Amino acid sequence: MTEWWYNNKTGVVEEGPQSLGADRDGPYSSKEEATRAPQIARERSRRWAADDAASD
């Protein structure tokens, strides 16, 4: 099964891990999902912040 990665440095979606681990997010199961990586990261951050605020 192919894994997809989003390169934060270049903004390019990569098939398989091609760049340094510090520069990429993933793996994602589809190219479309990897394309949405920045949006997914923002959504997760908001969810974590809300969880932290609720536990205070």
Side-chain angles (χ1 to χ4, degrees), residues 23-46:
D23 293 336
R24 60 185 154 97
D25 288 340
Y28 294 96
S29 58
S30 69
K31 185 175 184 177
E32 293 75 21
E33 187 179 21
T35 301
R36 292 186 45 247
Q39 178 184 355
I40 291 169
R42 284 189 302 274
E43 290 168 359
R44 288 177 181 165
S45 291
R46 278 194 290 268

Side-chain angles (χ1 to χ4, degrees), residues 2-52:
T2 301
E3 293 180 327
W4 297 89
W5 302 80
Y6 180 82
N7 185 315
N8 290 298
K9 198 171 191 178
T10 64
V12 174
V13 172
E14 303 171 347
E15 185 175 358
Q18 297 175 21
S19 57
L20 295 175
D23 293 336
R24 60 185 154 97
D25 288 340
Y28 294 96
S29 58
S30 69
K31 185 175 184 177
E32 293 75 21
E33 187 179 21
T35 301
R36 292 186 45 247
Q39 178 184 355
I40 291 169
R42 284 189 302 274
E43 290 168 359
R44 288 177 181 165
S45 291
R46 278 194 290 268
R47 223 175 10 251
W48 292 331
D51 289 347
D52 285 348

